[in-house]
Amino acid sequence: MSFVSSLKKFFSPRRRIIGTTDLRRALKNNEFVFYYQPEWDLKTGEVKGVEALIRWESPNGIIPPAEFIPALEQTGLINEFTPFLFDQTLHDLRELYQAGFDHLFMSVNLSVVQLHDPLLLDIIRKSLDNYAIMPEKLECEITETKSMDKPELEFQTLQQLRDNHIKLSIDDFGSGHSSFNYLKDLNAHKLKIDKEFIQSLFDKPANETIMRTIIGLGHSLNLIVLAEGIETSAQEQWLRKNGCDYGQGFWFSRPLPLTMLISFLRAQEDQTNTSYQSEK
């Protein structure tokens, strides 16, 4: 790399300028791809479901969702993206069922802006019907990419999802100012603790106290509590000992494309069967 190229790379803005043309091309050319990260039951060691994590594999490299989701919202293309989101993730859930993993649920992230779409429920129902998926197997994670500016409409949409037996979870709990509003009003199924809490768990005793309080709060509201971003055995052991229900993070598995996920799940199944046979 030349000196001039190095300077350009060093001084280039960290955030790309993403326009409508780029996003339309990405949708047309199937540049958005999904990876799936398992959610583990910390008590039994079983994989209970997977979270769909989307990446944009653009001609200029991989663009993370923290950059392109706001761009989809700002350009108004988020509603064109929604049918693709549910069609692809529920298609892949059907593939998982056909591979023998029909106990799994699929967790999909929704931004607040998508809750404004009056067609959202119809889009989800159509994909559920197309792939013969029970609505109880779909979980929508409410992601705070933007503050709720139409709370009555947004909570009405969430109520419609619940009325149709679709589960709701609060994503990245503790990371944004709306978290407690969600907790108070959402009547969710699951609370996902933001990874920053996990990564700083052992920094000082007060952090452990805060974590115990969040777990207890979730359980007092009859929520499944999941810890995100688990990266060490010590974190897993502490969370299990202190009653956290589910875990997710690199300690268990990185996000995987569908074919690799199926291979991973089969390997886990074989390991479980081997352990069972050795105990007999």
Side-chain angles (χ1 to χ4, degrees), residues 83-107:
F84 165 76
L85 169 66
F86 284 99
D87 183 74
Q88 188 62 57
T89 54
L90 293 176
H91 167 276
D92 288 353
L93 184 59
R94 172 51 53 188
E95 292 289 307
L96 286 171
Y97 287 1
Q98 291 175 347
F101 302 103
D102 57 1
H103 64 287
L104 298 177
F105 63 81
M106 174 66 70
S107 183

Side-chain angles (χ1 to χ4, degrees), residues 33-239:
V33 298
F34 286 95
Y35 288 67
Y36 298 98
Q37 189 169 33
E39 296 188 6
W40 296 71
D41 187 322
L42 294 178
K43 298 180 180 69
T44 66
E46 297 175 310
V47 177
K48 292 294 189 178
V50 295
E51 178 185 1
L53 301 169
I54 192 164
R55 301 288 182 267
W56 179 3
E57 294 184 348
S58 80
N60 298 317
I62 295 177
I63 302 176
E67 293 188 27
F68 70 77
I69 294 297
L72 283 167
E73 293 174 343
Q74 292 160 12
T75 59
L77 290 175
I78 191 73
N79 290 344
E80 294 184 30
F81 173 78
T82 303
F84 165 76
L85 169 66
F86 284 99
D87 183 74
Q88 188 62 57
T89 54
L90 293 176
H91 167 276
D92 288 353
L93 184 59
R94 172 51 53 188
E95 292 289 307
L96 286 171
Y97 287 1
Q98 291 175 347
F101 302 103
D102 57 1
H103 64 287
L104 298 177
F105 63 81
M106 174 66 70
S107 183
V108 176
N109 290 276
L110 281 181
S111 79
V112 169
V113 176
Q114 286 169 292
L115 300 179
H116 300 168
D117 184 358
L119 298 177
L120 176 63
L121 182 58
D122 290 338
I123 290 167
I124 296 174
R125 280 174 170 168
K126 180 179 179 181
S127 292
L128 288 168
D129 290 343
N130 283 347
Y131 298 108
I133 303 292
M134 297 295 291
E136 293 86 353
K137 294 292 189 178
L138 175 63
E139 181 177 291
C140 289
E141 296 188 20
I142 309 307
T143 305
E144 190 181 2
T145 58
K146 178 181 175 183
S147 298
M148 284 191 166
D149 55 5
K150 301 178 181 178
E152 291 186 5
L153 172 60
E154 289 147 5
F155 279 107
Q156 180 182 358
T157 302
L158 293 170
Q159 181 64 52
Q160 290 174 343
L161 295 176
R162 283 198 306 270
D163 289 346
N164 281 267
H165 308 290
I166 296 164
K167 293 183 170 66
L168 303 177
S169 69
I170 302 169
D171 193 25
D172 297 334
F173 180 78
S175 66
H177 68 275
S178 295
S179 293
F180 282 96
N181 288 335
Y182 291 162
L183 195 61
K184 178 170 61 76
D185 299 326
L186 193 54
N187 189 22
H189 163 74
K190 183 188 295 175
L191 182 155
K192 301 186 75 172
I193 305 173
D194 185 69
K195 63 182 180 181
E196 298 298 329
F197 288 97
I198 312 306
Q199 293 171 355
S200 63
L201 179 60
F202 301 125
D203 288 357
K204 53 186 177 181
N207 293 0
E208 296 183 46
T209 301
I210 291 170
M211 183 63 66
R212 290 190 190 96
T213 301
I214 295 175
I215 293 170
L217 177 63
H219 288 164
S220 71
L221 296 171
N222 297 315
L223 298 174
I224 292 172
V225 179
L226 180 147
E228 299 179 300
I230 300 174
E231 295 183 355
T232 68
S233 174
Q235 292 168 349
E236 179 199 359
Q237 291 175 20
W238 188 96
L239 289 161

Side-chain angles (χ1 to χ4, degrees), residues 8-27:
K8 286 182 178 179
K9 182 177 181 181
F10 182 79
F11 287 109
S12 62
R14 296 182 67 182
R15 187 169 292 274
R16 301 168 182 83
I17 298 174
I18 301 172
T20 303
T21 302
D22 301 312
L23 295 168
R24 288 194 184 281
R25 185 205 70 237
L27 284 167

